[in-house]
Amino acid sequence: MPSGFHLHCSLLAFIIYGLVFQVHELQSAPLNVTGPPGPITVAMGEDVVLPCRVSPEQSVQDIEVIWFREHFSPFVHRYKGGQDQYGEQMLQYQGRTELLKDSLTNGSMDLKIFHVQLSDRGNYTCFVHRDSDYDEAVVELKVTASGSAPLIALERYQDGGIRVACRSAGWYPQPQVLWQDPHGQHLPSLSESVTRDKSGLFAVESSIILTRGTNQKLSCSVRHALHSQEQGSAFYISDPFFQNAHPWMTALGVALVAVVALLVIAVYLFKIKGKHEKKIATQEAELRDCDAEIEKQAEELVNVVLDPDTAHCDLVLSDDCKSVKREDTRQDIPDIPERFNPWRCVLGREGFTSGRCYWEVEAVDGGGWTVGVSREDVKRKGEIEFKPEEGIWAVGQWAGHFQALTSPNRTLLPEIQTPKRIRVSLDYEEGRVAFFSVDEEIPIFTFPLASFEGMRVHPWVWLGPGTWLKMWP
């Protein structure tokens, strides 16, 4: 047989082997899901595409894509087995979402939302799953709305001039109202008010006093907070309108003197009242501090050590098992029944079946975190909902908000500044789980009393991407 034929066969075999090797490498490479570098902004009523890219590129039939808000289920959109799944879709997104399939083969898992509503704003998680491998990315959606052109209204004579109001509605987020003279100089307003309707849109009103011969020609503009877009109206008032304004000057002067006298008396009475109220408030604060100190002394400070046998394979524990960091680099460790998968959770090694105790957790936030307690029988595999019915009582920075993981809905805590260090308090017999901010020395949240049903209760944490947690002491 000719040597050229042998050479041709060898070359063909080499090419086939290379292609098979590349396909194997592509299939075995870990998933990496990424979102856009910053928020996506869209005007209310328009369509928007939320970008999500997975690498390396995957077979459409082999992957599952879930877009969700706070929970896996109900979800915003789900794609599995080459088809869209609508069985457990959130009610507000039904008929309004589409996974852009033309770009699936290129590694894009982009989600299109039609006719965006104000309630659609917030964080979305793009979760991609293939066999036992998965990854996720968070995309923030900001929604804006441009309101109506300002309505100018001449209200009444006041302070020797004419009170003029500027009104506009249908804005989001809250807009800025500006008065300008003919030279473009900004003028201070007399009063401003902001209201919101049932849909969450802002309505604004601003007033100014217009006097003869000074600023008879003005313009009012309402400016969008996120864009340079604005709506404006200009107007002019001629001198005859001011003829009836000045006879009120004397009456206004007398009234002003009376008001000043009343203010002096009111300030004097307010100072006296303030001194008494301050004294009472100081005494009440001292009593609260004493009660808190007595209660704290009744609790036992426990030394929490994390259990590496329960830690998800993406979590790296320190040598003393007192701190944990999410690396998103899967460690080669066995997936034993005690280990959490796919959620990046870990339990404390020692549990509690009685008594009152507390410990503290320091958090360095990356992509969110939650801390609290869980029953020993908490679900370790598959989808888990973080709520008391599933045996988890926790608070944390979740989906871009500091909140308590209550049920059926999460409890947002906007008045609490996200603490760097949290005290977790457990009263087993009473069934009480409470949280305190060590930074500000204030209570954060206390769950309704629960029954642990004689089950052992462990310290529990979940870590988002790039997050680090340390247990104290």
Side-chain angles (χ1 to χ4, degrees):
M1 187 173 294
S3 59
F5 178 78
H6 285 292
L7 180 60
H8 177 75
C9 291
S10 300
L11 181 59
L12 181 61
F14 178 77
I15 292 174
I16 293 174
Y17 173 80
L19 290 174
V20 172
F21 179 78
Q22 288 182 2
V23 170
H24 174 75
E25 286 295 310
L26 184 62
Q27 292 177 343
S28 61
L31 286 176
N32 181 32
V33 178
T34 56
I40 302 298
T41 303
V42 63
M44 190 174 68
E46 296 184 359
D47 303 339
V48 67
V49 175
L50 303 183
C52 175
R53 185 164 185 82
V54 60
S55 60
E57 298 170 2
Q58 308 294 319
S59 168
V60 175
Q61 295 293 330
D62 295 340
I63 64 171
E64 176 184 16
V65 182
I66 300 178
W67 281 90
F68 65 92
R69 300 292 297 269
E70 295 184 0
H71 307 283
F72 263 123
S73 178
F75 48 75
V76 176
H77 194 94
R78 185 179 186 183
Y79 177 86
K80 184 178 181 181
Q83 294 183 348
D84 294 308
Q85 309 285 332
Y86 297 104
E88 299 179 25
Q89 189 178 33
M90 294 175 68
L91 183 63
Q92 74 180 84
Y93 294 99
Q94 290 181 4
R96 296 178 50 233
T97 63
E98 176 188 359
L99 197 71
L100 301 183
K101 301 177 183 60
D102 292 342
S103 56
L104 281 176
T105 55
N106 298 326
S108 295
M109 310 295 157
D110 301 345
L111 177 71
K112 187 172 185 178
I113 303 178
F114 299 92
H115 308 297
V116 170
Q117 306 167 3
L118 193 59
S119 59
D120 294 335
R121 69 188 188 278
N123 288 342
Y124 292 74
T125 299
C126 174
F127 180 89
V128 182
H129 177 242
R130 181 201 65 191
D131 298 330
S132 61
D133 201 7
Y134 56 88
D135 199 10
E136 62 190 33
V138 176
V139 182
E140 181 182 0
L141 175 63
K142 292 185 176 181
V143 180
T144 65
S146 296
S148 61
L151 173 65
I152 305 297
L154 305 182
E155 293 190 321
R156 60 182 178 272
Y157 291 111
Q158 180 177 336
D159 300 335
I162 300 175
R163 182 186 178 107
V164 183
C166 174
R167 304 184 182 100
S168 182
W171 295 85
Y172 193 88
Q174 180 178 330
Q176 181 183 17
V177 183
L178 299 175
W179 293 93
Q180 291 180 307
D181 63 15
H183 305 291
Q185 297 296 318
H186 291 169
L187 301 174
S189 60
L190 178 68
S191 65
E192 293 184 2
S193 65
V194 180
T195 58
R196 297 184 75 172
D197 60 22
K198 294 181 179 179
S199 64
L201 297 176
F202 287 95
V204 293
E205 178 177 336
S206 179
S207 298
I208 197 170
I209 301 296
L210 195 61
T211 57
R212 182 203 302 265
T214 54
N215 296 314
Q216 295 173 238
K217 184 177 181 181
L218 292 178
S219 64
C220 173
S221 60
V222 184
R223 181 172 299 172
H224 208 292
L226 295 181
H227 303 290
S228 58
Q229 298 175 351
E230 66 177 40
Q231 298 274 17
S233 296
F235 63 98
Y236 176 83
I237 300 179
S238 61
D239 282 345
F241 282 94
F242 294 93
Q243 292 177 1
N244 294 324
H246 293 291
W248 293 93
M249 292 294 291
T250 302
L252 288 174
V254 174
L256 184 60
V257 172
V259 170
V260 170
L262 290 174
L263 285 176
V264 171
I265 296 173
V267 169
Y268 175 73
L269 294 176
F270 182 77
K271 286 184 177 179
I272 295 176
K273 181 182 177 182
K275 290 181 179 179
H276 289 287
E277 290 181 344
K278 184 176 181 181
K279 184 177 180 180
I280 293 173
T282 301
Q283 293 174 346
E284 291 178 346
E286 290 175 351
L287 288 174
R288 286 196 300 269
D289 292 342
C290 289
D291 291 341
E293 187 63 27
I294 291 173
E295 183 175 350
K296 183 176 179 180
Q297 290 175 359
E299 295 178 329
E300 177 188 1
L301 177 62
V302 294
N303 180 28
V304 174
V305 177
L306 300 174
D307 185 357
D309 289 339
T310 65
H312 183 277
C313 57
D314 284 352
L315 302 182
V316 178
L317 274 61
S318 61
D319 293 339
D320 60 0
C321 294
K322 296 286 291 180
S323 64
V324 56
K325 184 176 182 181
R326 176 168 167 177
E327 296 284 1
D328 284 333
T329 301
R330 191 154 303 181
Q331 303 175 84
D332 187 14
I333 53 179
D335 187 17
I336 57 179
E338 295 83 359
R339 193 177 309 284
F340 284 94
N341 189 16
W343 288 95
R344 277 76 167 185
C345 305
V346 60
L347 296 179
R349 181 177 295 164
E350 301 297 332
F352 310 100
T353 56
S354 63
R356 299 176 61 187
C357 61
Y358 74 94
W359 61 94
E360 296 178 357
V361 184
E362 180 182 353
V364 176
D365 189 16
W369 52 269
T370 57
V371 302
V373 301
S374 76
R375 289 199 311 262
E376 191 170 44
D377 64 344
V378 68
K379 189 178 178 182
R380 311 293 176 93
K381 307 296 183 184
E383 296 183 6
I384 309 172
E385 290 198 47
F386 299 164
K387 59 183 181 180
E389 288 83 349
E390 298 293 330
I392 295 174
W393 294 262
V395 301
Q397 186 72 10
W398 177 271
H401 302 282
F402 186 62
Q403 54 188 285
L405 307 187
T406 51
S407 177
N409 298 314
R410 304 294 169 81
T411 302
L412 298 180
L413 304 171
E415 71 282 0
I416 303 294
Q417 183 176 0
T418 303
K420 298 297 184 184
R421 192 159 169 172
I422 287 183
R423 177 156 64 96
V424 185
S425 176
L426 171 67
D427 186 332
Y428 190 93
E429 282 78 9
E430 188 177 354
R432 180 175 62 86
V433 181
F435 300 86
F436 302 84
S437 171
V438 179
D439 307 339
E440 301 186 35
E441 298 182 348
I442 59 172
I444 294 176
F445 186 80
T446 300
F447 277 86
L449 298 183
S451 173
F452 301 125
E453 303 173 354
M455 188 73 62
R456 187 175 295 273
V457 174
H458 291 261
W460 172 93
V461 298
W462 168 84
L463 291 83
T467 302
W468 174 88
L469 296 176
K470 179 176 176 59
M471 317 303 292
W472 294 90

